[in-house]
Amino acid sequence: MRHALLAAALFTAMPAALVAAPPAAAQSPQLEQACVTVAKNFLLVPNIKTGIVQSFPELDPPGARLTYSTREDAKPTDFNNEIECEFDKATPPFSLQRFCISETCYGPNEQEQENRRRYLEVKALMDRAKK
């Protein structure tokens, strides 16, 4: 009987413990915003709507990834595009190291010359914004 009461008390307290759990630590709104800026610069759009946004300041290199839509009236099912960004460090000013949209990556060491060029263009725009 005593074990049944203990088990009942644990099950009653579990939902409260789950709700009171702290949010995922180490998220970085600044990294996330930098990745949004990369997406806007690459896609040549003034605004994008974001869906799921995650950042990883503790990784090497630090980065962020997000789902997005360029539709102004985006619905939850519209966030099927994805971008991943890697930066030199987890604190501003950020220097873009590489980014991938869908299956295509853009960086200084990419084999495709056009993908290297797009990376250099976005990096130049990001660097100008730091000044």
Side-chain angles (χ1 to χ4, degrees):
M1 180 73 170
R2 195 163 105 207
H3 294 295
L5 290 174
L6 181 60
L10 284 174
F11 284 124
T12 304
M14 267 182 130
L18 292 176
V19 171
Q27 288 286 94
S28 171
Q30 293 173 318
L31 273 175
E32 295 165 3
Q33 187 55 49
C35 196
V36 167
T37 302
V38 169
K40 290 189 324 188
N41 284 330
F42 180 79
L43 298 168
L44 301 173
V45 294
N47 297 303
I48 63 170
K49 302 284 185 172
T50 57
I52 296 173
V53 183
Q54 301 171 329
S55 57
F56 307 94
E58 71 277 14
L59 297 182
D60 185 28
R65 67 180 180 182
L66 55 99
T67 58
Y68 69 90
S69 175
T70 56
R71 295 175 52 127
E72 284 294 320
D73 60 343
K75 294 171 182 41
T77 56
D78 293 333
F79 297 105
N80 51 14
N81 299 307
E82 186 176 320
I83 182 170
E84 298 178 37
C85 305
E86 296 175 0
F87 300 97
D88 65 331
K89 59 187 177 183
T91 56
F94 301 109
S95 179
L96 182 64
Q97 299 297 303
R98 182 173 186 249
F99 68 97
C100 301
I101 293 188
S102 299
E103 301 288 322
T104 306
C105 292
Y106 304 85
N109 301 320
E110 298 300 325
Q111 295 296 324
E112 286 286 325
Q113 182 176 350
E114 188 172 318
N115 293 355
R116 276 194 315 274
R117 173 66 186 212
R118 297 293 88 77
Y119 160 77
L120 291 171
E121 290 171 353
V122 172
K123 183 170 176 10
L125 292 169
M126 298 290 290
D127 289 346
R128 285 181 203 163
K130 287 190 275 186
K131 296 178 180 177

